[in-house]
Amino acid sequence: MPAQLPSDAISVRVDSWTWAVRLFKTRSQAATACRSGHVRVNGTSAKAAQQVKAGDEVRVRVSGIERIVVVVKPITKRVSAVLAADCLQDNSPPQPPPELIASIPRRDRGAGRPTKRERRDLEKLRGLEP
């Protein structure tokens, strides 16, 4: 009969775990994020096959927002949202209010380089006046 491993010695792939705790919608999205460098484990960039165990800090960048989570329980199968919440500890900073996000000026995609006047206005807004 095989010996039982203690629960803190169990490790799983980082792409599988991030998918199982619902940080990504699909496992292939999780693997792609790992390949793109959007997933970091304990401060270092992680490949999809890197193992995570209880106590590891995982930083995930999803849709421009960084999530900082700590692995509480390594799981490989996708579970309900209630059970998934028990498998991680979310240390992410609070998101800015929607009013603040909407007030940030953005250039239209494909609008080209800013004119000299627009560049000066941007520098003035950022506080980089010459």
Side-chain angles (χ1 to χ4, degrees):
M1 183 172 358
Q4 291 288 338
L5 293 173
S7 62
D8 60 336
I10 297 174
S11 61
V12 297
R13 291 173 55 114
V14 69
D15 64 337
S16 178
W17 185 79
T18 55
W19 165 75
V21 296
R22 300 172 176 261
L23 294 176
F24 291 101
K25 198 168 190 174
T26 65
R27 184 161 172 202
S28 62
Q29 281 180 346
T32 302
C34 291
R35 277 194 303 274
S36 302
H38 296 291
V39 178
R40 299 175 72 81
V41 176
N42 295 328
T44 59
S45 190
K47 292 185 177 181
Q50 181 171 341
Q51 301 289 314
V52 293
K53 60 186 183 314
D56 286 346
E57 180 188 67
V58 179
R59 291 177 178 253
V60 179
R61 190 151 186 82
V62 183
S63 302
I65 299 169
E66 186 174 48
R67 303 264 324 259
I68 303 168
V69 296
V70 176
V71 179
V72 173
K73 180 179 174 188
I75 58 171
T76 56
K77 300 291 181 186
R78 195 167 173 103
V79 293
S80 70
V82 175
L83 293 175
D86 295 336
C87 296
L88 62 93
Q89 176 186 354
D90 196 354
N91 295 336
S92 304
Q95 293 187 12
E99 299 84 28
L100 181 65
I101 294 173
S103 68
I104 298 173
R106 300 206 177 190
R107 290 182 54 80
D108 293 331
R109 189 169 177 90
R113 292 178 58 175
T115 63
K116 189 178 241 185
R117 178 185 223 163
E118 290 171 337
R119 182 181 54 81
R120 287 181 178 152
D121 289 341
L122 284 171
E123 287 177 354
K124 195 181 295 183
L125 182 67
R126 291 182 185 144
L128 301 174
E129 284 195 53

